[in-house]
Amino acid sequence: MTAIPQGRTRRAALVSAMCALVVTGTGLTGCSSSDPDAGTNGVGKLPAEKIQSRTRAAAEAADTVRLSGTVVTNGRTYRLDMRLKEDGASGSVTSKGATFRLLRVGRHLFLKAGADFWSHQGGQGSGGSSHAGDAAADKLDDKYVKVPTGDPAYKRFSGFTDKSVLLDGLLTLHGTLATDGHHDQSGVRTIRITGDKGSGGTLDVSLEGKPYPLRLVRAGGAGTLSLTDWGKGFALKEPSKKETVDYGQQLPTS
């Protein structure tokens, strides 16, 4: 038998004594830790549909968020680490071993990548050559490329930097909604809601402070994302002319 430390015994006795003195309008009651919603924002007591509505409203009202994890779409896996706000974003995207940074300030979108990325892209498409790819890589290595708004790549890449578009597309559970108990995400108590018992995705919603979404598991194995740093500001600034270079042609479609 393991001995119980005296300090722990004394604390337990003190807690028991304090509980015995709790008075309600109907008389004495004992303390109870059986209510997982005690001291929370209360959304854990709501139906799943209302929890989803509350967390969407909280997410939309927040000025900023950091979104990190994986998204699988059209058979391709993207690893994201993006800090988002209403008028721009900054972060990185990785796919098939290639990583590039994205920076959007207002409508101006910039892409930054290393030589390996541009060398690989330079050989893509009709007429591409390894020499052309190497030349582009030398010119573009670790520089920001401003993506023209008319370039097809602008729409593709800017979607990773748009807080409203990303959250609207990601914070969706499919099928019948239900709650799935109380959980913990990095020390924060959460209530989990599911779509079709989890096959339609799961979403952990904070029970502390505002009911922000904290962790999303997308339906069909389409990725897992963490949503953190809600409301924490960060600076956005366009790169200087020394840091920027013109790609000189349509950005790679791949």
Side-chain angles (χ1 to χ4, degrees), residues 107 147-155 250:
R107 286 182 53 81
V147 184
T149 55
D151 193 302
Y154 184 92
K155 184 176 181 180
Q250 181 176 308

Side-chain angles (χ1 to χ4, degrees), residues 67-219:
L67 188 151
S68 57
T70 57
V71 173
V72 181
T73 180
N74 296 326
R76 175 174 287 190
T77 299
Y78 297 91
R79 180 169 293 279
L80 310 180
D81 188 0
M82 298 295 303
R83 300 185 71 181
L84 309 161
K85 58 170 58 176
E86 294 299 330
D87 61 346
S90 176
S92 64
V93 180
T94 301
S95 181
K96 292 188 175 181
T99 298
F100 54 91
R101 294 193 60 81
L102 290 174
L103 170 65
R104 181 173 65 83
V105 183
R107 286 182 53 81
H108 296 168
L109 176 66
F110 301 87
L111 184 151
K112 182 179 181 180
D116 289 346
F117 174 88
W118 292 111
S119 179
H120 174 71
Q121 301 301 337
Q124 302 287 329
S126 59
S129 67
S130 60
H131 178 74
D134 291 341
D138 291 340
K139 177 183 177 183
L140 303 171
D141 181 30
D142 209 30
K143 295 285 188 179
Y144 282 101
V145 173
K146 187 173 183 179
V147 184
T149 55
D151 193 302
Y154 184 92
K155 184 176 181 180
R156 256 194 331 275
F157 292 141
S158 63
F160 290 120
T161 69
D162 193 312
K163 173 177 175 284
S164 297
V165 169
L166 270 179
L167 294 185
D168 186 57
L170 293 174
L171 296 180
T172 299
L173 300 179
H174 302 281
T176 303
L177 298 182
T179 56
D180 186 29
H182 292 69
H183 299 266
D184 180 286
Q185 294 298 326
S186 300
V188 178
R189 288 179 292 173
T190 65
I191 181 71
R192 181 170 296 170
I193 56 177
T194 66
D196 279 349
K197 299 181 179 181
S199 63
T202 69
L203 183 66
D204 277 56
V205 178
S206 176
L207 289 173
E208 302 176 17
K210 296 183 180 180
Y212 291 127
L214 299 183
R215 183 175 184 269
L216 170 71
V217 178
R218 303 181 71 207

